[in-house]
Amino acid sequence: MTQLAYQSAWQFLIYRLWADNSLEEVIVNELHFLREATREPEKLMRCIDWKRKEGGEKEGKEEIIISKWLQTLGKFLFYCRLRNEEYSVLVESIVQAFRAAKDNYRDIVSQCVESFSYSVNNRNVKVEDFLKRGAVSLIFEEICRPTLNDEIISESLLFLMNVSEKLKEEEEDEKERAKRKGLKRKAFEKMEEEGYEDIIICFHERFDFLNRGRFGVLSLCISDYFVNV
């Protein structure tokens, strides 16, 4: 199978994700897409003369295929709903292509930015994946260039806006978790103060028939009774 046919086969599968999420387990865990999707672009990047000006000669097949891979990575990170720690490795692959292409291959840069813009919308891709792998800093460098491409700058600003929104959401989630933890602590202290622990144990001993019936086994742990906290 040629490199282009191999990439096209993966692209076909990834584009099917929006309609059939059952493919996620197969693509990630059985076909090992994450491994292939990092190895193939790295191999292609070694074949491209990044110092040559874009448009100076006929576009090589490696440049065409790597653009397609970048598009596929962005779509995968957008569609896939499985949380996987290796997503950050895919982000790094896009970052590496961005760094290599930023001076002379603006079409590839455009594809990288578009891939970032897609992937940041996936809740399972964490903001820290973009921060630690250098995606955010590259986008800031891009919008500070003396000459700007309207399409690239539009996608760059959209990416930064979504990163900002995700940071706010994570901050709110963290505050909510801290609030719930505080409520549980107060409830636990109140139950200890009122002697509810002794009551629970008492019920557990006196109503043994509950444990033999449909109610299952009553827990002796107070925190198990915090249904709404």
Side-chain angles (χ1 to χ4, degrees):
M1 184 181 289
T2 66
Q3 288 179 310
L4 182 58
Y6 184 62
Q7 189 283 325
S8 297
W10 277 114
Q11 188 169 14
F12 173 78
L13 282 176
I14 301 305
Y15 278 39
R16 290 285 300 164
L17 278 176
W18 72 272
D20 187 1
N21 287 340
S22 65
L23 284 172
E24 292 178 350
E25 287 281 356
V26 176
I27 290 171
V28 174
N29 298 322
E30 295 184 33
L31 298 179
H32 306 292
F33 172 74
L34 297 172
R35 182 183 64 200
E36 298 301 306
T38 53
R39 185 183 64 186
E40 288 299 310
E42 286 177 3
K43 189 190 303 181
L44 290 164
M45 285 177 63
R46 291 195 291 269
C47 299
I48 298 175
D49 179 8
W50 296 106
K51 295 181 179 179
R52 179 176 64 82
K53 291 290 184 181
E54 186 177 49
E57 299 176 16
K58 185 178 179 180
E59 189 176 31
K61 67 175 184 178
E62 291 85 5
E63 298 156 37
I64 296 172
I65 299 172
I66 200 169
S67 291
K68 287 180 172 291
W69 267 113
L70 291 167
Q71 187 178 46
T72 303
L73 294 185
K75 292 290 187 181
F76 173 80
L77 289 170
F78 176 69
Y79 288 134
C80 194
R81 293 297 177 260
L82 291 175
R83 176 56 189 159
N84 192 303
E85 297 302 323
E86 293 183 21
Y87 286 176
S88 63
V89 178
L90 297 187
V91 172
E92 184 174 25
S93 291
I94 301 172
V95 166
Q96 288 174 348
F98 194 131
R99 285 201 180 104
K102 65 179 181 178
D103 292 328
N104 297 322
Y105 287 80
R106 302 303 295 166
D107 285 346
I108 291 179
V109 167
S110 179
Q111 188 60 66
C112 291
V113 175
E114 185 176 311
S115 297
F116 287 150
S117 185
Y118 273 125
S119 56
V120 76
N121 288 297
N122 187 341
R123 296 185 65 86
N124 289 322
V125 182
K126 303 300 182 184
V127 171
E128 65 185 41
D129 294 335
F130 298 105
L131 292 170
K132 289 182 178 179
R133 301 296 180 173
V136 174
S137 60
L138 275 174
I139 292 294
F140 276 123
E141 289 177 22
E142 185 61 33
I143 63 177
C144 290
R145 290 176 64 91
T147 56
L148 299 174
N149 174 290
D150 288 344
E151 183 177 341
I152 293 177
I153 199 64
S154 176
E155 291 290 346
S156 296
L157 292 174
L158 181 61
F159 169 76
L160 292 175
M161 181 184 71
N162 286 327
V163 165
S164 178
E165 288 297 319
K166 289 191 80 168
L167 284 172
K168 289 178 183 177
E169 288 175 8
E170 290 180 9
E171 185 179 3
E172 289 171 2
D173 288 344
E174 190 173 327
K175 287 180 180 178
E176 184 63 24
R177 284 194 296 270
K179 180 181 177 182
R180 289 170 67 86
K181 187 175 180 180
L183 286 172
K184 283 189 175 185
R185 185 174 61 252
K186 288 180 180 179
F188 182 81
E189 291 171 353
K190 184 66 175 176
M191 291 181 81
E192 280 191 326
E193 181 183 328
E194 298 293 336
Y196 290 148
E197 183 176 14
D198 294 334
I199 294 173
I200 291 170
I201 294 173
C202 178
F203 280 150
H204 193 277
E205 292 175 348
R206 292 184 61 189
F207 297 103
D208 187 56
F209 70 90
L210 289 175
N211 293 335
R212 297 194 302 270
R214 63 177 181 173
F215 293 97
V217 178
L218 288 172
S219 174
L220 294 177
C221 181
I222 289 177
S223 62
D224 289 344
Y225 294 88
F226 296 170
V227 180
N228 297 314
V229 178

